Amino acid sequence: MTDSPPPRTDLDPENWQDVRALSHRALDDMFDWLQNARGRPVWEQMPAEKRAELSVVLPRGGAALPDLYADFQRLVLPYGAGNEHPRFFGWVNGGGTAAGILAELLVAIFNPNCGGRDHAAIEVERQVIAWAAEAVGFPRDAGGVLLGGSSMANMVALLVARRAAVGAAVRSGGVAGRKLTAYGSAAAHGCIPRAMDMAGLGTDSLRLIPFDAGHRMDVLALRQAISADRAAGLQPFLVVGTAGTVDVGAFDDLAAVGDVAREAGAWFHVDGAFGATAAFSAAHRPLLRGIERADSLAFDFHKWVQVPYDAGCVLVRDRTLQLATFAQSLAYLEGAERGIAGNPPWPRDLGPDLSREFRALKIWFTLRAYGADGIGRVVENGCDVAQHLAARVRRESQLELLAPVPLNIVCFRVVADVADLNRFNKELVADLQESGIAAPSTTTIDGKLAIRAGIFNHRSTRADADALVDGLLQVLEGRKVKEAVLF
Ligand SMILES: Cc1ncc(COP(=O)(O)O)c(C=O)c1O
């Protein structure tokens, strides 16, 4: 009697050929899906029965990969948010590219851990950081690290600023009773107060400075707030300028804000989550005047640069301070002069993550495939489509523009004789999203509910902007009928 062989414990396929064939088919299917984006609705809500199908107990046994792929096609793929679609105008979402897809595929197989050590992926990340620094006018040897997004990048910058303000003792003793205060525009992104909260400094220690009609921080009010806090014995440690506010895409006067920060002896940080991408366009770069003086900058490659999610980045002018904030000595991670444990400093010394994916490759592919000028053209197209949309809004008697359009975001609303115009506009946006024609999002401008269209997708054209307005007017007619019936 022969003993049966023990069950396999490795997870490799029994038949690699089958996996190759399935993967090649899946890749073809996904390229078809991407190429045909324009021909399908932007968004379709996931039906309850399909959501229910996803909710099952932990599988104990294995399933065949073709079955899993079929489930993906049936349960997941049709119900995406729609950000690959040229008429997706909501929030701040990139659309992805062929170069990014290829890089992601390669990374999935190559699978390095980019916390550190001596391997090529670390060099690619260093190159990408140097390109980012070059693009925005930071020194090429600035510190930097790739992160999940600008929320984390702003948080990391805040921690470096805190380290600069308090000194090395902050790492063991915390802020030790100091009353650190930070300053940013009332139009700054919500991740700034969140970073204050997470850093233990508290959102009350962030002064939200009013902004002017152009949604730019009031520099005089900033100066006064800092003086008042200093007189009260507080320690102003951080001034955050915004390059591209999330609501309307406005740029603070970074040179003036930077001057105030410098006079106050405070760290000057810029949140350029998507606005810093303007650096790639000669026509729009002047909006960023003063960014090159910032101590740190947060921005994303996954927004206007179109790199697949996720790909955030923080740059810190003085790399030694970034290292002083995060570097940590642990026995099992001890560096070495030779071997795989060499090549310091490691990305894990520049940020909070130890295990890290190889985000740099998709950025490296994107910047090489399209060049800085290619990204610049995406910026120029987004701004052109936004101006086209704004002009159309101005021409339509039923529409009202609610904010200036300094970049690629248009905020407007439908004007109608209804009891609650805000609710009415909110319903219209939901109607439009559910129609699948186009997908703007909403925000609030001066207490008014605004339909917000951001032109971030590189596939969006003037005709798509017109389709958004046509679709809106169409759902408006439908709602007029509906509300007349209801009331
Ligand atoms: C100005 C600004 N800052 C920060 C963020 C947060 O970025 P992320 O979503 O990558 O964390 C956003 C997101 O849209 C933003 O627009």
Side-chain angles (χ1 to χ4, degrees):
M1 220 171 85
T2 52
D3 286 343
S4 53
R8 281 179 57 182
T9 55
D10 71 275
L11 302 176
D12 281 334
E14 301 258 343
N15 183 337
W16 280 100
Q17 205 49 45
D18 289 348
V19 177
R20 281 174 190 243
L22 176 66
S23 303
H24 290 157
R25 181 158 68 79
L27 188 59
D28 281 340
D29 292 346
M30 290 309 289
F31 276 120
D32 285 346
W33 175 85
L34 190 56
Q35 279 185 265
N36 296 329
R38 190 178 280 287
R40 62 171 176 266
V42 179
W43 179 77
E44 194 182 330
Q45 190 174 30
M46 189 172 189
E49 64 276 12
K50 298 231 168 129
R51 288 178 204 257
E53 268 195 73
L54 280 179
S55 173
V56 293
V57 295
L58 175 70
R60 301 298 323 178
L65 283 184
D67 293 344
L68 298 186
Y69 178 53
D71 280 352
F72 167 76
Q73 284 182 303
R74 203 170 54 81
L75 296 175
V76 181
L77 190 58
Y79 309 112
N83 56 302
E84 78 289 353
H85 198 291
R87 290 192 299 282
F88 184 94
F89 298 113
W91 301 277
V92 186
N93 280 206
T97 64
I101 291 168
L102 180 55
E104 283 286 68
L105 275 171
L106 303 179
V107 168
I109 300 172
F110 192 41
N111 193 27
N113 180 343
C114 291
R117 292 162 283 270
D118 193 356
H119 55 122
I122 304 298
E123 300 308 327
V124 176
E125 178 156 347
R126 287 174 182 158
Q127 172 62 88
V128 162
I129 296 290
W131 279 340
E134 189 180 331
V136 299
F138 267 44
R140 263 186 78 89
D141 63 351
V145 75
L146 299 177
L147 297 152
S150 280
S151 299
M152 270 315 287
N154 281 308
M155 170 83 190
V156 163
L158 185 146
L159 294 174
V160 181
R162 191 185 64 164
R163 165 68 179 77
V166 180
V170 74
R171 296 193 62 177
S172 50
V175 297
R178 286 168 197 254
K179 298 274 186 230
L180 298 182
T181 48
Y183 306 79
S185 162
H189 191 267
C191 68
I192 306 295
R194 204 147 164 257
M196 290 291 284
D197 167 8
M198 291 191 293
L201 301 176
T203 54
D204 288 351
S205 300
L206 173 67
R207 310 290 184 239
L208 292 178
I209 309 298
F211 51 84
D212 66 16
H215 289 241
R216 290 176 301 253
M217 178 156 50
D218 178 339
V219 179
L220 185 62
L222 168 67
R223 201 185 294 272
Q224 285 167 346
I226 292 176
S227 301
D229 282 341
R230 200 175 284 298
L234 309 181
Q235 185 180 345
F237 85 109
L238 168 68
V239 176
V240 180
T242 304
T245 60
V246 68
D247 286 327
V248 309
F251 287 70
D252 288 338
D253 180 342
L254 299 177
V257 171
D259 282 347
V260 175
R262 195 101 357 183
E263 281 164 30
W267 186 270
F268 175 36
H269 170 69
V270 174
D271 175 10
F274 64 90
T277 313
F280 289 97
S281 154
H284 297 283
R285 195 175 306 132
L287 290 166
L288 291 163
R289 198 177 65 85
I291 197 172
E292 67 288 346
R293 301 197 222 154
D295 294 303
S296 55
L297 168 69
F299 73 99
D300 283 318
F301 288 103
H302 60 213
K303 292 186 163 73
W304 222 356
V305 190
Q306 313 294 329
V307 169
Y309 286 94
D310 51 27
C313 181
V314 66
L315 293 178
V316 179
R317 171 175 299 281
D318 180 351
R319 192 169 74 135
T320 57
L321 267 175
Q322 193 179 359
L323 287 168
T325 308
F326 292 103
Q328 187 189 24
S329 161
L330 295 174
Y332 89 105
L333 288 172
E334 201 57 55
E337 306 254 307
R338 295 172 45 232
I340 303 172
N343 197 26
W346 295 350
R348 69 124 195 168
D349 299 320
L350 295 159
D353 297 315
L354 175 54
S355 290
R356 303 171 67 250
E357 64 180 294
F358 188 9
R359 292 189 180 100
L361 194 72
K362 58 194 174 186
I363 303 169
W364 193 67
F365 262 56
T366 301
L367 293 178
R368 291 197 58 194
Y370 310 111
D373 293 346
I375 304 303
R377 285 190 291 275
V378 170
V379 168
E380 280 150 28
N381 177 64
C383 295
D384 172 72
V385 173
Q387 289 304 330
H388 177 81
L389 176 58
R392 172 84 195 268
V393 166
R394 284 191 201 96
R395 283 201 307 276
E396 294 289 344
S397 59
Q398 299 182 89
L399 303 182
E400 177 188 12
L401 201 60
L402 290 180
V405 184
L407 202 66
N408 62 336
I409 300 174
V410 185
C411 287
F412 62 105
R413 68 173 174 174
V414 167
V415 278
D417 189 13
V418 293
D420 185 345
L421 199 51
N422 285 353
R423 187 196 65 82
F424 189 72
N425 273 275
K426 202 173 181 116
E427 296 292 335
L428 282 172
V429 167
D431 288 348
L432 188 55
Q433 291 174 352
E434 284 172 5
S435 76
I437 299 170
S441 54
T442 61
T443 189
T444 303
I445 306 282
D446 299 331
K448 297 171 187 158
L449 194 290
I451 301 172
R452 178 184 170 287
I455 324 299
F456 289 95
N457 189 307
H458 59 101
R459 305 179 181 100
S460 303
T461 62
R462 288 177 170 207
D464 292 313
D466 283 324
L468 162 69
V469 175
D470 294 342
L472 182 63
L473 297 178
Q474 197 178 312
V475 296
L476 173 62
E477 284 313 308
R479 183 146 289 274
K480 275 181 184 165
V481 173
K482 228 198 250 171
E483 304 251 329
V485 170
L486 286 175
F487 301 117

